[in-house]
């Protein structure tokens, strides 16, 4: 839009979240990618597109249709209606999601406690909308935080208080301190949001013992935990995965947020929430939080596209409801890329400066995650959007400034690299370009 174009409304008269960095962040990052289409993108956290298969989508649909008729005993017209008509608000693949959670995660879930949503993003929105009852409510979130969570919180006027993450994935002393601080100020911390497995953006995971301590603290403090787990299946070692918080949850402390974007197809836009918390309603009737979320959903998206759900359902059925089994090829590609990227960083930024005529690049550090899509690189200068723009234009490489994942304006000396949508060759080119940018920036600042 041009500045000279007459305006009919101003942003100041719209919801205050509009114009907030949490909401403009994703658009900005997409715009930069569009501006420099030839750049190597180590920015996008999208799954690898070469695995997408249109023919398989048709097959999944057929598989799910057969399941409706053969396994569930639906008559042909009932099955057709289920796929093509408006449908059940909580979804039509809830039973398969429950089976998937049992097979892959050892989580026992009543399918009635599941709401199938338009991506995990809608699940986050529904939960935050439900939890935000009044102006005293606040949400705690481990920082750095996925920007989609912060944006959804803004839309429901729920302040987000950062909790230190640190190398353990969540600093329990800080979590307890934030809960106490909020309560002392007359506020109600409704929940703490976190990603225990290969978090976006930090890449950090929480170990099993710390997960148990976190659950114990949540019980002690009477706090809900919102567990978001889009990356858990993509672990790079062959050992057992730590149990999810939900698998350890014996007291209905954990609301579990799931996404099929990375494990099946992002284009299907299907995710879900497991909300088994008991809610007492008027007249003493007690039902799952899932039913309350469904009520909100009925006023937001009505129901998740049954066709999209059928595609996900078919894929699940074709792999015995195991996404671990369905993603062996994806897991090995992401693991290969993650190792390639970490080794490539080590080669380009040796621990000690080995070339005295070059500026000291040894201040460059990075995380070595045990899986997932993301590596965080710390550099000796602030990383902002202007630097990203220059990186795209002059160096042909894109990445994500870590400042986008912090809910304040303090300068951040770090950037996020993603390995999910690139080949090892593209990683090499991208890292060469990133190394050139970092060297030039260090030199420029030293000079
Ligand atoms: C941590 C996290 N949660 C949720 C989402 C959104 O998932 P969906 O595409 O299912 O809405 C993403 C997407 O990248 C994510 O990284």
């Amino acid at each position: 839009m041009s500045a000279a174009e007459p305006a009919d409304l101003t942003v100041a008269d719209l919801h205050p979240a509009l114009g907030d960095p949490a909401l403009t962040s994703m658009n900005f990052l997409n715009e930069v990618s569009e501006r420099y289409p030839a750049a190597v993108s180590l920015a996008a956290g999208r799954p690898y597109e070469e695995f997408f298969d249109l023919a398989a989508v048709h097959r999944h649909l057929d598989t799910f249709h057969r399941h409706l008729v053969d396994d569930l005993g639906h008559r042909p017209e009932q099955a057709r209606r289920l796929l093509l008509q408006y449908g059940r608000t909580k979804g039509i693949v809830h039973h398969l999601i429950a089976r998937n959670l049992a097979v892959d995660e050892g989580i026992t879930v009543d399918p009635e406690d599941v709401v199938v949503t338009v991506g995990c993003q809608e699940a986050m929105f529904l939960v935050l909308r439900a939890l935000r009852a009044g102006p005293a409510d606040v949400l705690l979130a481990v920082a750095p935080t996925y920007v989609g969570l912060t944006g959804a919180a803004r839309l429901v006027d729920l302040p987000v208080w950062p909790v230190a993450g640190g190398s353990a994935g969540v600093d329990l002393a800080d979590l307890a301190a934030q809960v106490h601080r909020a309560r002392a100020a007359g506020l109600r911390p409704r929940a703490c949001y976190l990603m225990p497995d290969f978090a976006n953006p930090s890449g950090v995971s929480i170990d099993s013992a710390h997960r148990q301590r976190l659950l114990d603290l949540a019980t002690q403090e009477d706090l809900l935990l919102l567990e978001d787990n889009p990356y858990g299946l993509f672990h790079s070692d062959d050992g057992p995965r730590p149990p999810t918080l939900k698998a350890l949850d014996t007291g209905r402390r954990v609301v579990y947020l799931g996404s099929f974007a990375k494990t099946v197809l992002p284009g299907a836009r299907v995710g879900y929430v497991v909300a088994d918390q008991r809610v007492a309603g008027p007249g003493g009737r007690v039902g799952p939080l899932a039913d309350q979320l469904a009520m909100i959903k009925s006023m937001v998206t009505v129901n998740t596209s049954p066709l999209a759900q059928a595609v996900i359902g078919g894929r699940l059925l074709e792999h015995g409801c195991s996404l671990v089994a369905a993603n062996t090829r994806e897991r090995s590609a992401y693991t290969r890329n993650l190792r390639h990227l970490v080794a490539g960083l080590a080669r380009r930024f040796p621990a000690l400066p080995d070339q005295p005529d070059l500026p000291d690049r040894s201040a460059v550090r990075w995380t070595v995650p045990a899986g997932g899509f993301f590596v965080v690189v710390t550099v000796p200068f602030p990383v902002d959007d202007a630097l990203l723009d220059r990186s795209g234009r002059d160096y042909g490489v894109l990445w994500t400034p870590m400042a986008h994942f912090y809910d304040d304006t303090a300068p951040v000396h770090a950037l996020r690299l993603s390995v999910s949508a690139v080949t090892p060759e593209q990683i090499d080119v991208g890292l060469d370009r990133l190394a050139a940018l970092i060297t030039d920036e260090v030199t420029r600042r030293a000079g």
Side-chain angles (χ1 to χ4, degrees), residues 26 45 118-122 124 146 193 195 199-200 228-231 258-262 266 269-271 374 416:
M26 286 203 197
V118 180
C120 179
Q121 186 65 34
E122 190 197 14
M124 294 192 293
Y146 175 55
Y193 167 88
M195 291 160 274
N200 179 9
D228 188 5
N229 187 20
Y231 304 103
S259 170
F260 293 108
K262 311 299 182 324
R269 301 302 304 127
V270 179
F374 307 113
R416 188 196 75 177

Side-chain angles (χ1 to χ4, degrees), residues 97-444:
I97 290 172
R99 225 182 279 170
N100 163 246
L101 289 172
V103 170
D104 282 343
E105 308 293 351
I107 302 176
T108 307
V109 167
D110 180 343
E112 285 302 320
D113 295 341
V114 175
V115 184
V116 188
T117 53
V118 180
C120 179
Q121 186 65 34
E122 190 197 14
M124 294 192 293
F125 180 83
L126 299 179
V127 172
L128 299 186
R129 178 63 283 173
L131 289 179
R132 200 281 186 187
D137 293 332
V138 294
L139 177 73
L140 306 176
V142 169
T145 307
Y146 175 55
V147 68
L149 183 276
T150 314
R154 287 284 193 285
L155 286 177
V156 301
D157 304 310
L158 184 61
V160 181
W161 283 28
V163 171
S167 57
V170 55
D171 179 333
L172 297 183
D174 192 50
L175 175 56
Q178 297 299 342
V179 169
H180 298 161
R181 193 164 72 88
R183 288 184 179 148
L187 302 174
R188 251 192 341 170
R190 300 310 313 263
C192 178
Y193 167 88
L194 74 170
M195 291 160 274
D197 294 283
F198 320 125
N200 179 9
S202 72
V204 173
S205 295
I206 302 177
D207 72 28
S208 295
H210 207 60
R211 287 175 198 232
Q212 191 54 61
R213 286 193 288 271
L214 171 62
L215 275 165
D216 293 344
L217 178 65
T219 305
Q220 196 182 311
E221 295 294 345
D222 190 19
L223 189 70
L224 281 178
L225 300 175
L226 310 185
E227 177 178 30
D228 188 5
N229 187 20
Y231 304 103
L233 295 192
F234 304 120
H235 56 120
S236 9
D237 55 27
D238 285 326
R241 288 180 292 130
T244 60
L245 292 175
K246 192 66 194 160
L248 297 170
D249 179 26
T250 51
R252 297 197 290 262
R253 283 275 147 214
V254 179
V255 175
Y256 185 84
L257 301 160
S259 170
F260 293 108
K262 311 299 182 324
T263 51
V264 183
L265 279 178
R269 301 302 304 127
V270 179
Y272 63 93
V273 52
V274 179
D276 56 0
Q277 289 69 28
R278 303 286 107 183
V279 178
R285 189 186 161 271
V286 175
L289 176 60
D291 286 356
Q292 307 298 319
L293 302 181
M295 213 135 36
I296 302 172
K297 180 176 172 65
S298 73
M299 292 295 146
V300 181
T301 54
V302 183
N303 57 248
T304 302
S305 158
L307 289 170
Q309 292 185 69
V311 170
I312 303 296
R315 177 89 186 269
L316 284 169
L317 287 162
E318 287 168 20
H319 294 274
C321 283
S322 172
L323 290 174
V324 170
N327 279 280
T328 48
R329 190 181 50 167
E330 285 77 1
R331 178 162 90 87
S332 69
Y334 296 141
T335 296
R336 176 203 61 199
N337 281 4
L338 195 56
R339 290 186 179 146
H340 195 79
L341 183 99
V342 168
L345 283 167
R347 260 199 314 282
R348 287 164 181 86
F349 300 100
L352 291 170
D354 55 359
Q355 294 170 305
D357 52 326
L358 278 180
D360 181 1
R361 297 195 299 182
S362 62
V364 177
R365 287 174 284 117
W366 54 92
T367 56
V368 183
F373 289 5
F374 307 113
V375 169
V376 175
V377 180
T378 304
V379 292
F381 48 83
V383 175
D384 58 15
D385 291 350
L387 185 66
L388 170 61
D389 190 73
R390 208 144 56 71
S391 179
R393 189 185 61 225
D394 299 343
Y395 294 85
V397 61
L398 299 172
W399 33 265
T400 308
M402 280 293 286
H404 283 257
F405 303 101
Y406 291 94
D407 200 12
D408 60 29
T409 53
V412 181
H413 292 51
L415 53 95
R416 188 196 75 177
L417 301 180
S418 171
V419 301
S420 60
V422 279
T423 60
E425 294 71 31
Q426 287 170 318
I427 290 174
D428 286 334
V429 175
L431 285 184
D432 281 342
R433 294 175 180 181
L434 179 68
L437 168 74
I438 291 175
T439 305
D440 290 353
E441 199 59 19
V442 170
T443 310
R444 194 171 68 80

